[in-house]
Amino acid sequence: MIDHESVRQILASYRDASAGERAAADAHSASCRECAAARAAYDETDALLLSARDPALPPSLSRPLAALIADRGAEKPRAAFGFAFRGGLAPAAIILVVLVTLSALLWTVNRVDAPVTSTPTLTSTLTPTTISARQTGSALAAALRSAPLPGFVPTPAPAPAPRGNLGPLFAGSAAHATMTH
Amino acid sequence: MPEEQESDAQAQQVAELFEQHRAAVFAYLARMTRDAALAEEVTQETFLKVYAARAKLPGIENARAWIFRIAINTCSTTLKRNRRFRWLNFEDAEGEGARSANDSQRQLMEHDAVERALGALSEEYRAPLLLFGHYGFHVAEIADMLGISEGAVKTRVYRAKEMFIRAYRQGEVE
């Protein structure tokens, strides 16, 4: 059994319905007043639409195609941007340019007038645990003795045992410093 | 046939198609956009696209349906773009002339009960109704043009007819 809505859908595009659909819709609408009225309304719609008068052609479309192509071809360089610009891109581009210019100006003014409020400081997070230095000269030992660092205990380096011809290299060894935390 | 002669023959064919279908394409676009100046521009664009694609003509079975499909796509793109930029659109010197032509077109359309009833329908329903009822395209052709299923076309034509006749009768009473 076919329902009213399906029948009306078939009736609305009856021209393109299959033979089976037409037969079903015909049988139904013969015995259903509402669907018969809908059918009459659709037929009236078709008649109204067919009789609708088309608007007159504007002059630009009344000419041969060659004239249209010649015209639009002549404005080709504009067409690439012109079609979009006529659609409203031109104002958008103008606003964008103004905004970019203003932003650039503001940035420049801020950069020139900005006061120096602070100076950057570098903070080391390195904490040495043990430093061991061995120096051949006496400069380091002397420096450490005159201004010892907290926790920095200079101890005299043990006199190295002369070993072959390397002895002169260690002859001036003055300090062996150890710092412990 | 040499390539140049073939191209000439196709250009001639497009010129003939323009003569045959320009009025129908313009009328369809005017009813869809409700804007004569825009319809004129989209009609021009449509036939320029047809001309640019003329090499495809030998493989086209139904040139009228093909042209309408191009017109529908061009119209859809233009309407989307115009909606996107409407809030930014400034009136220019050209716009004044187009606007007065447009107003007279709108008056003509609104004067007619059929056009008024068509105008009461959304584009989603107006397009299949016009293509089916006024231009006589088949459901399968409309489905191809609008990029929807045949079932969807039938449903839209049915609902569009219901809405149209209601709007038309209401307009007659008023």
Side-chain angles (χ1 to χ4, degrees), chain A residues 3-96:
Chain A
D3 62 272
H4 298 287
E5 178 134 348
S6 303
V7 170
R8 288 177 198 180
Q9 195 161 317
I10 294 167
L11 291 171
S13 49
Y14 190 81
R15 198 181 67 209
D16 276 19
S18 67
E21 286 174 330
R22 285 183 184 201
D26 287 344
H28 179 98
S29 54
S31 59
C32 174
R33 268 179 36 195
E34 285 86 6
C35 288
R39 181 177 210 158
Y42 302 155
D43 289 345
E44 186 186 352
T45 302
D46 287 339
L48 286 168
L49 289 172
L50 276 176
S51 66
R53 198 162 46 92
D54 281 347
L57 267 181
S60 77
L61 293 173
S62 306
R63 302 170 305 159
L65 181 66
L68 175 67
I69 292 168
D71 278 5
R72 297 296 289 249
E75 58 178 63
K76 207 71 180 170
R78 189 187 172 222
F81 296 103
F83 192 65
F85 266 49
R86 278 198 300 278
L89 270 184
I94 291 165
I95 289 170
L96 188 69

